[in-house]
Structure formats: structure tokens, C-alpha cells
Amino acid sequence: MAPIDTIWLVLNARSGSNEDGAIAELRDHCERRNLSLAREICFPDEDLPTASELDAAGINCLAVFTGDGTLNAAITGLYGWSGSILVLPGGTMNLLSRRMHGEAECEEILDRIASGAFRKVRPQVVRCEAGDALAGLLSGPGTSWASVREAMRDFDIAALAEETGEALAETTGGAFVRLRTPELGSREGYPMIEFTPSHRGLQLDAYRAQDPGDFLRQGWALLRRRFREGPHERLGLFDELELENCENAPIGVLLDGEPATLGSRATFSVAACEVDLLATAHGY
């Protein structure tokens, strides 16, 4: 495809790797590849760009150098736009960037973009009433560990201790979730079920624990987005399924790391992203 020469760039100073040095390095990478940064938008201090704003400025590519949560907001907010979005690894785990570019870092990704070695894709996402998850979705009381992650990011030691205790209590004593349709897996439910979208459908992995030590280890794995280190079972691949809370309580979910709440029963399906993303690796 023809290389891109002008972009708008979205940054998030709170994202895992968006330090001043990383941002300056990204600017340098773009300049050396004759890639013009026509505008920089620092979210959340500034609003994310709309399709009409991008079109009015004659911009057909938006680069987003943030974590998965901000990427989700930027991408889903541009559903229906005729331009393309370039995902760059500007967060802690960068799961969506890995879907689009493999393990490549910014410099290598920009090399590919500058040479035209990319294609437009609309990857499969997890869809539910709370929205779409492009990198992955977690459900169940284990999602309460997201509040611990926020305390860690804010370097709030007092809040970290409090949130850790509350997350452990919620994960061990909260209402588990289970598959209702189809009826698979443990009927006692699980503290966390992970949804991973791909062109094959929704991959479901259910996580369990035998004692508080297991719950602590799984909470730590959740904070590092390395869920599969804990004991779990593969429930299968699905196009659509229904989850239920074992105690008829609301279901907590994390969409690309951002918390939301669903009813006691919730339907999840695989769907196509509704705006073009730029992929530079074949394994998206």
C-alpha cells in the first residue's frame, strides 16, 4: 500500500510507557521517516478526536500511542470513520499492538508504515452490552484487581494496601460466574473467565483457585496481564455465548482493562471492528 506521510497522534501521559523520553523518541522516529505529526492530542486533558474533526483537517490516519484502555476509547469512538488507525505500543502490556504488529516496537512499526508494508484490517472483537473489547475481556469477581492496578499506577501505598485486601476478599468471597449457554465447565463457577477474540471466534479460559495463596498469585498475574500463569482450563471457541452470575448478582467485566458492569446474565459475541486498523504482522 502507499506509505502514509501525515498523521494526528493521541498520547496519554498516564499510560505505562508514555514518559517524556518515550514521547520525544517517538517524535524523532517519525521525523526521520518523513512522517509529519500534524497535531498531538494529550488525552484525557484533551478530548479524543472525532471523525468530523479528522475529516475537516484532511487527516486519514490517526496514530494512538497509549495503553489498551485509551486505544479502546479512541477506536470505538471512531466507528464508521473512513480513515485508518495506527496502534502503537504506548502502554504497559500493549495487547492490541501485539495483535496488529507482533512483538515489534515503535521504531520497527514506523519503518513498516513508512515503506507501505501494512494492510488495513478489521479484527474480530468481543461484543457485549457494555461495549467492544479489542484486545480481550475479563469477567467475574477477579476483575476487582483492576482497582489495585490503579493504586499502583498512582503510587498510592495506603490505597494499594486497602485495595489489595478488598480485591482478595471479593475474589475469594464474591459471586462466581459460569457458562449458561452452552452449559460447559464447572457449575460452581469461576472467579474469572477470560475472553480472547480472534478470527476463529472467542477463546474462553476459566481460572480457578484452591486457596487464598492461589488467589493472590492470580491477582498478581492479573496486574501484569499474564493470566495464563495461574491454574485454568480452556472452555472452547465460540461465536456467541451467555454467561451468568452464580448468585444472580451483576457481572463485573474489564474491557481492554477498563471496568464495566453487566446484568446477572450477559451475552457475548464475536464481531468485526467497525473502523480500519493498520496491521504490519500476519498474525493479527
Side-chain angles (χ1 to χ4, degrees):
M1 300 188 72
I4 292 168
D5 55 16
T6 303
I7 62 173
W8 278 13
L9 175 66
V10 173
L11 307 164
N12 184 343
R14 294 191 72 217
S15 290
S17 59
N18 269 211
E19 302 170 350
D20 289 341
I23 294 170
E25 192 174 65
L26 176 60
R27 294 188 187 111
D28 181 61
H29 289 329
C30 291
E31 182 178 354
R32 287 191 283 111
R33 290 160 180 80
N34 296 316
L35 187 59
S36 172
L37 296 179
R39 181 183 170 190
E40 292 183 14
I41 299 161
C42 188
F43 180 82
D45 298 332
E46 300 176 82
D47 291 337
L48 293 169
T50 64
S52 59
E53 289 173 332
L54 290 160
D55 288 341
I59 298 298
N60 58 21
C61 181
L62 176 71
V64 187
F65 182 58
T66 70
D68 290 315
T70 303
L71 271 163
N72 182 299
I75 292 169
T76 57
L78 287 173
Y79 273 7
W81 181 44
S82 60
S84 304
I85 299 172
L86 172 61
V87 174
L88 295 173
T92 303
M93 292 303 297
N94 305 308
L95 299 180
L96 186 56
S97 178
R98 292 178 186 177
R99 284 193 76 185
M100 297 297 102
H101 313 295
E103 297 295 328
E105 297 296 335
C106 280
E107 186 170 10
E108 185 177 358
I109 294 168
L110 292 172
D111 275 339
R112 298 170 183 174
I113 295 297
S115 66
F118 62 87
R119 68 178 302 179
K120 296 178 181 180
V121 301
R122 295 201 172 194
Q124 299 296 95
V125 303
V126 187
R127 179 160 292 171
C128 65
E129 286 188 1
D132 288 358
L134 294 95
L137 182 147
L138 297 173
S139 64
T143 59
S144 58
W145 286 87
S147 59
V148 181
R149 182 193 61 199
E150 291 302 310
M152 290 177 65
R153 187 156 63 180
D154 293 336
F155 301 103
D156 189 334
I157 302 303
L160 177 61
E162 180 179 355
E163 297 292 352
T164 299
E166 291 181 1
L168 182 59
E170 177 66 17
T171 307
T172 56
F176 285 5
V177 292
R178 64 189 174 200
L179 263 176
R180 174 180 172 85
T181 309
E183 191 173 303
L184 293 172
S186 170
R187 305 325 296 155
E188 296 179 358
Y190 304 90
M192 188 169 70
I193 296 179
E194 178 190 11
F195 295 68
T196 305
S198 78
H199 61 283
R200 300 180 182 89
L202 303 179
Q203 174 182 300
L204 256 65
D205 291 286
Y207 294 79
R208 57 193 182 279
Q210 304 300 323
D211 55 51
D214 279 344
F215 282 111
L216 276 173
R217 284 188 288 274
Q218 288 209 349
W220 178 239
L222 174 63
L223 295 177
R224 293 178 297 152
R225 306 295 288 274
R226 293 172 64 177
F227 319 119
R228 295 186 181 92
E229 289 184 355
H232 66 280
E233 62 184 279
R234 177 70 46 82
L235 295 180
L237 290 165
F238 307 90
D239 290 329
E240 184 173 294
L241 60 100
E242 186 181 22
L243 213 62
E244 68 177 354
N245 185 289
C246 294
E247 298 179 12
N248 204 34
I251 297 172
V253 295
L254 292 176
L255 287 83
D256 294 336
E258 298 300 315
T261 303
L262 298 170
S264 60
R265 294 179 183 174
T267 299
F268 302 83
S269 60
V270 64
C273 178
E274 296 179 21
V275 66
D276 289 336
L277 307 186
L278 300 182
T280 66
H282 72 278
Y284 73 88

